[in-house]
Amino acid sequence: MWESIIGHETNKIFLKNMLTGERQTPSLLFCGPEGIGKKKMARAFARSFLCLEDPLVPCHCRSCQAMDNGSHQDFIQVEPGGKSRTIGVDAIHQLAASAALGPVLSPFKVCLIDEAHTMREEAQNSLLKLLEEPPDYGVFLILSTNAERLLPTIRSRCVSFAVAPVSPADCTRYCAAQGVDKKTAALY
């Protein structure tokens, strides 16, 4: 899955080092504009982190298969819902209840919060409690296009990744590798 992520080499190296070394933080904040690969990168990290074999080599262990088909019991995703397109306190309470239960398939649980900047203030305060005392087996991946809307105390408890748009050179290389002629690739 890592090979399908174009660019973002510095972030990928850091995340891969986290997979092979001792976990340094239970909370990661992926910040950047919409549509540039934050969720794809976070899901690649989650898949690798939950892998039962080698986290850096694509495999088909039970955990990776469960991630691929969207049925992994140790992967929890929260995203905005309802007419207001926000994340309410009930969603974070549900996340906390799920995170409190031990992992089932993998030795860890990964909680991904997409569009975290849409959390209401009471939801952010509830998440803050969870980040202050995370379960030993839990990792929280927080994604946002506007991290400034998150409480400073949430941001301070996370390792932040600035996910920038992919460079034109990386786009051109990717297009060329896919067989797109240079003239057409230059348009991207």
Side-chain angles (χ1 to χ4, degrees):
M1 194 160 188
W2 291 103
E3 65 282 347
S4 69
I5 298 171
I6 304 164
H8 309 297
E9 294 308 316
T10 303
N11 289 341
K12 289 191 300 190
I13 289 167
F14 182 86
L15 292 169
K16 287 179 179 182
N17 286 340
M18 275 191 72
L19 293 168
T20 57
E22 192 162 313
R23 185 173 54 146
Q24 299 170 355
T25 180
S27 308
L28 305 174
L29 175 61
F30 295 77
C31 313
E34 189 174 333
I36 59 168
K38 294 181 301 293
K39 190 186 303 186
K40 189 170 190 173
M41 193 178 314
R43 287 187 66 87
F45 178 78
R47 184 184 193 273
S48 296
F49 195 77
L50 294 170
C51 181
L52 299 173
E53 295 179 14
D54 184 341
L56 298 179
V57 178
C59 78
H60 299 289
C61 70
R62 292 181 328 195
S63 178
C64 290
Q65 287 178 10
M67 278 298 290
D68 291 344
N69 67 31
S71 64
H72 204 299
Q73 298 167 326
D74 298 324
F75 179 75
I76 306 160
Q77 184 167 329
V78 176
E79 49 195 18
K83 290 181 182 178
S84 64
R85 297 290 303 147
T86 59
I87 299 172
V89 69
D90 290 342
I92 300 302
H93 285 165
Q94 257 185 330
L95 171 70
S98 295
L101 301 173
V104 177
L105 180 58
S106 298
F108 301 101
K109 274 199 169 184
V110 176
C111 305
L112 187 148
I113 303 172
D114 195 13
E115 298 184 50
H117 57 276
T118 66
M119 277 189 288
R120 296 182 177 175
E121 187 174 351
E122 61 271 14
Q124 289 191 46
N125 285 318
S126 185
L127 176 62
L128 181 59
K129 291 177 189 172
L130 192 55
L131 297 179
E132 287 173 339
E133 297 178 25
D136 290 339
Y137 49 79
V139 173
F140 297 89
L141 307 177
I142 302 169
L143 286 60
S144 179
T145 57
N146 188 353
E148 293 301 314
R149 289 184 52 199
L150 296 173
L151 294 173
T153 46
I154 288 178
R155 294 192 313 261
S156 72
R157 283 168 177 73
C158 300
V159 171
S160 293
F161 293 91
V163 184
V166 176
S167 73
D170 284 337
C171 285
T172 301
R173 273 193 295 279
Y174 175 78
C175 289
Q178 301 302 311
V180 177
D181 65 87
K182 286 185 180 184
K183 191 174 186 178
T184 304
L187 298 174
Y188 295 100

